[in-house]
Amino acid sequence: MDNETIGSTLDQVADLLEIEGASVFRVRAYRGAARTVSALASPVSTLPEKGPGSLEELPGIGKDLAGKIRELAESGELALLHELKSRTPESLIHLLELPGLGPKRAKAIHEGLGIDTIEELEKAAREGRLRALKGVGPKLEGQILEGIAARAARGKRISLAEAEAQVEPIVARLRETEGVAQIEVAGSYRRRRDNVGDVDILVAAETSVAIGKKLISDPATDKVLADGDTKTSVLLKSGLQVDLRVVPVESFGAAMHYFTGSKAHNIAIRTLGVRRKLKISEWGVFQEDKRVSGEREEDVFASVGLAWVPPELREDRGEIDAAREGKLPKLVERAELRGDFVGGKLDADGIAAIASACEATGAAWLVVLGASRHDVEHAQKHAGKVTLFAGAVVSIGAEGLVGASEDVDVVVGEIHAADLDEKSLTQALIAAAKSGRIHVLARPFNGGKPKQFDVEAVAKVCRAQGVLLGLDARPAFLAGADGYARAVKDTGAQLVITSRASNAEQAAHVRFGLDQARRGWCEAKDVANTLSAEAFGKLLARR
Ligand code: DGT
Ligand code: CA
Ligand code: CA
C-alpha cells in the first residue's frame, strides 16, 4: 500500500473512532499519524526496521501506531479497521464517504434526522431538510448532492471499448508533459477485461513533474478526488474515475506489475517472494530492505523464477504454474488474423468498401453475412486480393433444427430460443452442431446477456464435427467471452472471432474479440481467423 493510501486509511480509522466516542487523544494520534505518513518522502516499506529513520522514531508515532502502519504497508489490510467497521452502522460508513461530511456531521444527520441511507440523505438534501441541523446551510446541501451524484457514477463499470475511447486522447495529451519518461495504462484496462471500474495510469518521472496538475486541468476532467505528489484521482465528465500515479524510473516495472494486477495474481506473486525472503511491492523487489530490482516488469517475474506473463493472463488462473514450467501459451496476435465475418445489409458497394478497409489491416478473406450471392460476386471484382465468401445466419430452434440455408458458402447457426434452460439449450446446440448444416455455431445471447450452457460438452461435439464456435467481437457481446474462449480451447475445438461489422470502423472491433480470446489463453491454432483464405475454404468444404 502506498503512503497516501495508508494515510487515508488511518484517517478513516480516526473518523470511526470519533463516531464511537473514543478519547480525543486517540483520535488525534491517528489523524497525526495519517498526516505524517502521507508526507513521508520515501515509501513506508523502505524505512529501516529499527533505529534512526524508522517508523517508531517519527514524531507522534510510537510502537503501537508503527505496528498498524506496517500491517497496512505489508498486507494492505488493518484488523482494527475491520473491527471498527463491523461495529459502526453501515449507513454511517456510507455517509462518511461523501465530501463535506466529517464524523460529527454524519453522526448528527444519522441520529438527529434518523437518516440511514444515501437515498434518504439525497431526498432530505433536495427538500432542504438538512438545514435544520446546526451549521448546515444550502452550500453544504449542494455539496452533498454533488457527492452523491459522483458516487453513483463511480459505482458503474463501463465497457473496455468506451474506456478506451475516453482514455486514449487523455493519455496522448499527458504524454507531452515535460519530464515524463514513460506513461502506460495499467489495471483491468491493461489486462483487457471487457469492462473496467476505473482507469489506472502510471507515469515514470520525478515527483516534481506537473503531470497531476495536467490531468486536473484536462478538458475531460470534471472533479478532483485526490491531489497529491504521487497520486492524483479525478472523475471525468462521463463519471469514469482516473487514478494517476507517478513513480521513479527505477520503480516503474514493479509499479506496472503491481497496478496491472489482478489483486489475486499480485498476492500469489508476493507469496512466492516471501518464500525466497523477498519483499515485492509497487516500489521494487527488496531483500532485507535492499532494492534488488524493479525497473523492468520482467525483473519482478524473474525474481521469483518466472517468465514474463502477458497481462491478459494475470488472473491467478494457472498462469503462475505455466510461467514456472515454461508452458505459457503463445497468445494469438492481431497481425496473425487473416479473416473476419462482416454483415448487416451490405450492398455490393458497401461490401467492396469494407473489403478494402479490411485488406489494409491484413485481411485475406471475409465472410459476408446476409448479402445476396450476386452482390458478393459483384463486389469480389472490386475487393482487391480479399477472398469473399457468401454467408448466412440461420436460426436454431429448440430441437436443434436449423432453418433453410440459402445458396451460401458459410452457414452460421444462431439460437433464438430465449426461454430455454441451461440443459435444453446445451442439447439444442449439440443437435445443431450435429445437423451437418452449419459451419459456425454462434454464442447464444438473450437480451444482450450471454446464455448459460455447457460449453465443454458443446465444444467437444463441435470439435468432432468440424464446426467452429463463434466469438462475437461487438463490444456489447463480450461479457464472459474470456471464460468461453478458454473452455473452447481446452477441448481442442476452434473459435472464430466475428466483428459482424457493416463499416470499416466497426471492423476494428475485431480486436476486442481478440482481447477476450487472449484472456482465454488462445493461440493462433485455436482461432480460425488465422487461417489463409485457401485453408479456410478447405475447412468449409469439409462440411
Ligand atoms: P477495476 O478498476 O475494478 O476494473 O479493476 P483493477 O484490477 O484495475 O483494480 P484497481 O483499479 O482497484 O487496482 C489496480 C490494481 O492495483 C489491481 O489490479 C491490483 C492492485 N491492487 C489494488 N489494491 C490492491 C491490494 O489491496 N492488494 C494488492 N496486492 N494489489 C492491489
Ligand atoms: Ca482500475
Ligand atoms: Ca484504481
Side-chain angles (χ1 to χ4, degrees):
M1 209 181 234
D2 59 68
N3 292 354
E4 278 167 53
T5 317
I6 296 175
S8 59
T9 310
L10 295 173
D11 257 329
Q12 207 184 347
V13 170
D15 286 349
L16 296 178
L17 285 171
E18 198 171 337
I19 283 178
E20 277 203 351
S23 87
V24 283
F25 300 107
R26 191 147 175 240
V27 174
R28 241 182 245 157
Y30 275 93
R31 295 230 189 275
R35 270 197 307 275
T36 306
V37 172
S38 307
L40 280 178
S42 49
V44 163
S45 55
T46 63
L47 297 181
E49 296 269 337
K50 281 192 219 50
S54 69
L55 270 176
E56 272 93 342
E57 309 260 311
L58 292 171
I61 298 184
K63 200 159 166 241
D64 179 53
L65 272 168
K68 299 272 190 303
I69 293 168
R70 248 181 235 120
E71 185 183 341
L72 273 171
E74 278 160 24
S75 70
E77 317 242 338
L78 186 63
L80 171 66
L81 182 61
H82 283 289
E83 265 171 53
L84 284 167
K85 277 187 173 171
S86 68
R87 293 202 295 258
T88 314
E90 206 165 321
S91 50
L92 258 177
I93 295 176
H94 291 317
L95 297 187
L96 275 176
E97 288 166 5
L98 296 173
L101 279 191
K104 282 200 195 70
R105 282 218 178 97
K107 202 172 171 185
I109 289 174
H110 178 67
E111 288 172 0
L113 297 174
I115 287 173
D116 274 333
T117 63
I118 298 285
E119 290 70 36
E120 287 169 17
L121 179 67
E122 183 173 5
K123 190 158 180 283
R126 280 199 199 293
E127 291 167 1
R129 282 190 282 122
L130 297 182
R131 286 171 222 180
L133 293 170
K134 211 177 97 195
V136 179
K139 187 163 167 232
L140 182 64
E141 272 177 348
Q143 233 177 322
I144 287 174
L145 284 172
E146 271 184 19
I148 292 173
R151 185 178 176 276
R154 238 184 351 249
K156 280 199 234 100
R157 301 185 69 84
I158 68 167
S159 75
L160 179 61
E162 215 177 301
E164 212 176 79
Q166 294 183 35
V167 169
E168 277 187 351
I170 297 174
V171 171
R173 290 191 283 270
L174 292 176
R175 206 182 283 282
E176 284 161 18
T177 314
E178 176 99 18
V180 168
Q182 254 174 302
I183 177 165
E184 297 288 346
V185 184
S188 51
Y189 185 102
R190 184 169 178 235
R191 300 198 312 279
R192 310 309 286 164
R193 266 190 70 172
D194 66 276
N195 60 82
V196 304
D198 67 15
V199 171
D200 307 276
I201 302 177
L202 211 60
V203 171
E206 304 285 333
T207 50
S208 54
V209 299
I211 195 153
K213 298 280 172 277
K214 189 140 178 187
L215 175 61
I216 286 171
S217 60
D218 192 275
T221 294
D222 184 31
K223 275 201 189 66
V224 180
L225 302 172
D227 176 12
D229 278 348
T230 60
K231 183 178 169 188
T232 307
S233 282
V234 300
L235 278 185
L236 302 183
K237 287 174 181 144
S238 64
L240 179 64
Q241 181 173 335
V242 176
D243 294 341
L244 177 88
R245 288 181 185 78
V246 181
V247 299
V249 173
E250 67 266 25
S251 296
F252 191 69
M256 273 301 276
H257 179 261
Y258 182 89
F259 290 111
T260 295
S262 65
K263 194 169 164 181
H265 167 92
N266 285 358
I267 290 171
I269 294 281
R270 202 168 46 196
T271 309
L272 288 181
V274 169
R275 276 189 223 143
R276 294 176 177 232
K277 297 209 168 13
L278 294 172
K279 197 149 83 190
I280 299 174
S281 74
E282 63 269 49
W283 302 98
V285 180
F286 298 88
Q287 192 164 34
E288 291 178 353
D289 296 332
K290 212 184 121 240
R291 167 198 296 283
V292 288
S293 65
E295 187 164 344
R296 301 178 325 146
E297 212 180 28
E298 290 90 316
D299 304 340
V300 177
F301 288 106
S303 75
V304 288
L306 303 181
W308 180 83
V309 177
E312 292 94 329
L313 302 184
R314 300 185 196 168
E315 300 288 350
D316 195 20
R317 293 181 191 151
E319 74 279 11
I320 292 178
D321 287 342
R324 186 185 303 112
E325 294 158 12
K327 287 186 181 154
L328 283 171
K330 194 190 165 302
L331 297 182
V332 54
E333 288 174 19
R334 177 69 186 90
E336 292 176 308
L337 302 185
R338 315 291 311 278
D340 189 9
F341 284 47
V342 299
K345 306 214 166 55
L346 290 167
D347 60 12
D349 289 345
I351 300 168
I354 203 166
S356 78
C358 289
E359 188 177 21
T361 59
W365 55 268
L366 288 177
V367 173
V368 186
L369 298 170
S372 72
R373 178 172 285 282
H374 174 268
D375 279 348
V376 172
E377 281 171 2
H378 189 71
Q380 182 69 72
K381 295 187 197 120
H382 308 279
K385 290 200 196 69
V386 178
T387 303
L388 299 179
F389 298 97
V393 179
V394 300
S395 291
I396 303 171
E399 311 296 315
L401 294 180
V402 173
S405 29
E406 304 136 50
D407 168 32
V408 290
D409 309 308
V410 187
V411 179
V412 178
E414 197 164 65
I415 205 143
H416 289 297
D419 49 350
L420 291 183
D421 62 23
E422 189 171 333
K423 205 162 161 205
S424 344
L425 177 59
T426 302
Q427 280 164 0
L429 291 166
I430 288 176
K434 284 183 174 163
S435 70
R437 291 159 71 178
I438 61 172
H439 301 94
V440 178
L441 189 56
R443 190 171 168 228
F445 277 83
N446 182 25
K449 285 213 184 83
K451 292 240 354 164
Q452 292 296 319
F453 66 99
D454 185 341
V455 183
E456 202 187 314
V458 172
K460 269 189 188 142
V461 175
C462 287
R463 184 191 163 179
Q465 299 284 327
V467 170
L468 303 172
L469 288 112
L471 193 165
D472 195 325
R474 289 175 290 181
F477 292 84
L478 295 170
D482 52 354
Y484 167 77
R486 179 94 182 255
V488 170
K489 178 218 160 84
D490 284 348
T491 60
Q494 239 182 348
L495 285 170
V496 67
I497 301 169
T498 62
S499 76
R500 298 204 173 187
S502 46
N503 58 47
E505 198 187 329
Q506 291 171 352
H509 286 160
V510 81
R511 71 202 159 83
F512 294 118
L514 179 74
D515 286 336
Q516 300 313 309
R518 286 169 61 89
R519 284 177 57 80
W521 292 53
C522 289
E523 305 189 327
K525 66 166 173 44
D526 304 314
V527 179
N529 307 69
T530 61
L531 296 172
S532 67
E534 199 193 350
F536 185 70
K538 274 192 189 144
L539 183 141
L540 297 176
R542 291 213 314 256
R543 190 73 322 231

